[in-house]
Amino acid sequence: MITIRVLQVPGELPEAYWNLFLSHVSEERRGQASRFVHLADAYRSVLGELLTRVTLRQLTGLKPVELSFTRNQYGKPSLSLSNYADVQFNVSHSGDWIALISGGDADLGVDVEKIAPIDMKIAERFFSLTESQFLAAGPAEMQLETFYRLWTLKESYIKAVGMGLSMPLDSFSMIRNADGDWHSPEAASYRFLSLRLDHEHMLAACSTGEELPIQPDFITIEELYQALIK
């Protein structure tokens, strides 16, 4: 079963929680966190890995600290343990949220973005002609939301394929059906999900396998903490 879990990044963590969280991520991640200027960036980085470790424990039966990861040449992460190489997951974070998709045995991708004012000319540079026309034809008050729906959907697909930005964003299109669902003619085997996490964040996910959940599971910091001390 495919699940999408989301975690809201807190403004501040108790020191005991932060120290425990740091002890359960990789040395590389701890070093990265120590170099961030802004604490929020460190929180997103560490909590993203931690949510991944806690979730994958349920899929592998291993302790969170026993999991190790590798990346392909384009940066897509996977488990480096040969017995669990087919365990599927993908993680994203932006603004106040971290999102993780996992489960099944087919490619998965997820993207979350904080919605902020943007120059719509970016769409002409990165979107397909079909997408740019769809965006321009919509009501002005909906263009920002539509832009982020398209952007996150496209990012989720690129992350699922695992080729990074070596795959041009304008080489495929995201199209909304009459019933509001999304699909891509160039990725006909993929299922897509687009939703708002809150009024400032957009989430998209995709899979070539099972049905995607209609809504994500919301995980709290306390639940994450308790999962580590059990």
Side-chain angles (χ1 to χ4, degrees):
M1 182 179 68
I2 294 173
T3 63
I4 300 172
R5 309 180 89 186
V6 294
L7 173 72
Q8 191 165 24
V9 179
E12 186 175 359
L13 281 168
E15 184 177 359
Y17 281 45
W18 184 233
N19 289 337
L20 179 68
F21 292 165
L22 286 172
S23 71
H24 281 76
V25 298
S26 66
E27 183 178 350
E28 178 184 6
R29 185 74 61 182
R30 288 194 294 271
Q32 183 185 59
S34 69
R35 293 190 294 272
F36 281 119
V37 174
H38 301 291
L39 188 59
D41 293 325
Y43 281 177
R44 280 189 289 268
S45 178
V46 169
L47 292 174
E49 180 176 323
L50 199 62
L51 180 61
T52 302
R53 288 180 178 274
V54 168
T55 301
L56 295 188
R57 175 179 66 179
Q58 300 169 4
L59 298 179
T60 64
L62 299 175
K63 296 178 180 178
V65 295
E66 294 175 334
L67 298 169
S68 59
F69 302 90
T70 186
R71 293 180 179 272
N72 71 8
Q73 60 180 321
Y74 303 106
K76 184 177 182 179
S78 61
L79 284 173
S80 59
L81 305 170
S82 58
N83 291 344
Y84 302 101
D86 60 345
V87 173
Q88 299 296 317
F89 69 94
N90 198 241
V91 65
S92 176
H93 52 73
S94 178
D96 297 338
W97 291 95
I98 296 163
L100 174 77
I101 186 171
S102 62
D105 56 4
D107 291 338
L108 300 174
V110 68
D111 188 57
V112 60
E113 296 289 344
K114 183 174 182 178
I115 299 171
I118 197 166
D119 185 348
M120 288 298 163
K121 291 182 179 179
I122 291 178
E124 299 174 8
R125 292 175 53 199
F126 295 107
F127 288 179
S128 70
L129 179 60
T130 299
E131 292 166 335
S132 294
Q133 291 174 340
F134 175 74
L135 180 63
E141 66 272 15
M142 293 297 295
Q143 284 191 346
L144 189 63
E145 175 171 331
T146 301
F147 174 91
Y148 277 98
R149 285 194 185 277
L150 289 167
W151 186 271
T152 53
L153 285 162
K154 292 170 81 67
E155 284 286 335
S156 74
Y157 173 63
I158 282 180
K159 293 180 70 179
V161 173
M163 293 181 61
L165 292 179
S166 66
M167 173 181 287
L169 283 169
D170 62 358
S171 65
F172 61 96
S173 298
M174 298 305 310
I175 297 174
R176 186 162 60 193
N177 304 330
D179 59 6
D181 292 334
W182 294 86
H183 76 281
S184 173
E186 297 82 8
S189 64
Y190 277 79
R191 306 172 189 270
F192 291 91
L193 171 72
S194 175
L195 57 86
R196 274 182 177 264
L197 284 177
D198 57 25
H199 69 286
E200 289 187 325
H201 297 82
M202 192 74 72
L203 178 145
C206 69
S207 168
T208 56
E210 307 167 27
E211 290 279 356
L212 293 165
I214 298 174
Q215 291 290 334
D217 296 325
F218 288 80
I219 308 301
T220 67
I221 289 293
E222 185 61 31
E223 288 172 326
L224 205 59
Y225 179 80
Q226 292 296 325
L228 296 176
I229 62 175
K230 287 181 179 178

